[in-house]
DNA sequence: AGTGAAACTGAGTGCGG
DNA sequence: CCGCACTCAGTTTCACT
């Protein structure tokens, strides 16, 4: 669970790349590619999960197919000192907020919001604006994606450079 | 592959929710929860993949554990009419750009960038700025995440509302 | 579309190098 | 840390309802 030393070699990196491409690749198949037995691959994957490098396995879904057709980023401006903990509370109460972070620049926080349509998005925005310490919001609607959309939490490749 | 009719019922939605929570949940286990046999669940999953609702299965990875410790959003301003196709080309040539989209507001595009550190990020930024038709960029650095980080491409729950 | 059984493939574990 | 061999669980296909 805890990511302590977290030292991993070239082999681990290749395993991660394989699992990011397809989380259902069998250990034997990965092993065949990188030159290791299925057992060895399994043990390394277990270790990567224990050390917190791999946090889970999820299905990637086309949001529009599920009825989420509107996407936007919302810059949030707070009154005085913005307490990240209270913001986190607010954010958790709105399922349409799929990501939230504190940022540099004029705004205190940046939210990623998914909604059914523009009407639904407006409703979410109104809900956010009722929060006492939120002073102002600026919305940027997403028009189209220029790349197929890689996972927010993971990098395109297993290692920088 | 093609997402045509893509009509799915309550059962499909529950299957999607289960697989988003854990892509390795067995068909039998999902079936036990929603009241279906493993065979029936498998066929529905196969159909959901064919119709493009489920686009894949991936391992979620802690970017910082892989050496990606710097994250930012970059607003891109272009000269005259910004051609999305040419922007898409540019974006594909930089592995540090993990998401790119056209947006409303002053900027023409918004990029999500991951880099090793601030030095690396600066280098990426300089590379982006050499593109002829890119006039200006505004960077917003991510300081901390307020929620564990849900996948960019998928919604928190399987259906709006 | 759903079920249940058969055949097969991959996961998980103990032991030895 | 790795590989081998074994067991068992999960996947996949098929015949049938």
């Amino acid at each position: 669970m805890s990511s302590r030393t977290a030292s991993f070699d070239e082999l681990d990196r290749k395993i991660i790349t394989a699992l990011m491409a397809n989380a259902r690749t069998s250990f034997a198949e990965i092993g065949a590619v990188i030159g290791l037995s299925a057992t060895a691959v399994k043990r390394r994957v277990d270790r990567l999960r224990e050390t917190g490098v791999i946090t889970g396995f999820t299905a990637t879904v086309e949001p529009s197919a599920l009825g989420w057709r509107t996407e936007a980023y919302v810059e949030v401006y707070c009154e005085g000192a913005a307490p990240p903990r209270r913001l986190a509370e607010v954010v958790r109460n709105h399922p349409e907020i799929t990501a939230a972070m504190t940022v540099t620049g004029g705004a205190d926080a940046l939210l990623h919001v998914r909604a059914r349509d523009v009407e639904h998005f407006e409703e979410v925005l109104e809900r956010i604006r009722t929060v006492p310490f939120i002073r102002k919001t600026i919305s940027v609607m997403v028009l189209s994606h220029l790349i197929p959309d890689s996972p927010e939490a993971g990098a395109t490749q297993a290692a920088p450079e």
Side-chain angles (χ1 to χ4, degrees), chain A residues 81-99:
Chain A
R85 276 166 212 172
R86 300 206 45 195
L87 254 174
E89 261 178 66
V90 171
V91 151
R92 261 193 295 273
N93 291 329
H94 303 271
E96 294 90 350
I97 301 176
T98 56

Side-chain angles (χ1 to χ4, degrees), chain A residues 55-125:
Chain A
T55 54
F57 299 96
T58 89
T60 56
V61 169
E62 193 68 52
S64 62
L66 289 173
W68 302 88
R69 297 208 166 71
T70 302
E71 186 183 357
Y73 284 92
V74 178
E75 296 175 60
V76 175
Y77 294 76
C78 296
E79 302 275 10
R85 276 166 212 172
R86 300 206 45 195
L87 254 174
E89 261 178 66
V90 171
V91 151
R92 261 193 295 273
N93 291 329
H94 303 271
E96 294 90 350
I97 301 176
T98 56
M101 55 217 118
T102 55
V103 290
T104 64
D108 295 296
L110 185 64
L111 313 179
H112 180 253
V113 175
R114 277 196 193 278
R116 237 176 298 125
D117 45 40
V118 179
E119 285 74 30
H120 183 197
F121 176 70
E122 186 177 22
E123 184 230 303
V124 174
L125 210 55

